[in-house]
Amino acid sequence: MSRRRIGVLDVGTNTVKALAVEARDGDLHLLADRSWGTRLGEGLAENAALSEAGVRKTLRAVGVARRVFDALKVAARRAVATSAAREASNGAEFARRFREAAGFDLRILSGAEEADLVFFGAMGDLREPPRSGEAVVMNSGGGSAEWARGTAKRVTRRASLPLGCVRMTERFLRGDPYTKASLRRIEEFYEDALAPVAREFSPGKAPFLGSGGSLCAIAAIA
């Protein structure tokens, strides 16, 4: 029986996620699934750089993930970073410090790569392919949001925009609870920003799939 243990780290603007699986004869068997809220991208819109506090919290989570992978004897390890790391002026320095903490390299994804990977991850999670063969996937992260349209084999259209929940909260929302005026401003902004997306990625009869913390929160509330 062929066995291989694989560990993946997703270093996002708001969270770090760690997943470890064992690949056995064509199937993936879950070994560990962990998540840490680290707010790596907090203050990025204002300062254009990752804060030292966010970096340290993120690297502490990475250190825990490394110990989890070590305990499970995970041989193949990969890590990707998204919006915060790719936009920050000190993203390369963060990647260097990540390698020291994790023991392996961090790959900083472009917006297009992030959209593609989210799409194929969502499609691969379906129990059966869409009847039309096509689907639209939306990802709502802390720093950016992605949309992709395509089939199980190919993405035909993609977009990545700086509209993540952390970024938009810092830019628009004021008060606790949020003031009506700030909620109105963010609603008006989104109406304008998402108009082209609504035209280009309208699912029609195709399934519309979602991923990311914001959409999971909405699903939980619903």
Side-chain angles (χ1 to χ4, degrees), residues 53-102:
V55 168
R56 288 184 177 180
K57 284 192 290 186
T58 299
L59 295 181
R60 282 198 294 270
V62 169
V64 175
R66 180 178 185 173
R67 292 192 289 274
V68 171
F69 290 171
D70 288 346
L72 292 170
K73 296 181 171 56
V74 171
R77 306 182 185 190
R78 298 290 185 271
V80 295
T82 53
S83 176
R86 70 171 168 257
E87 294 177 23
S89 60
N90 56 345
E93 171 63 13
F94 170 70
R96 183 192 66 76
R97 292 174 67 179
F98 174 93
R99 178 170 178 77
E100 292 177 354

Side-chain angles (χ1 to χ4, degrees), residues 103-115:
F104 57 100
D105 288 333
L106 175 69
R107 178 182 172 189
I108 299 178
L109 299 174
S110 69
E113 289 174 322
E114 185 176 359

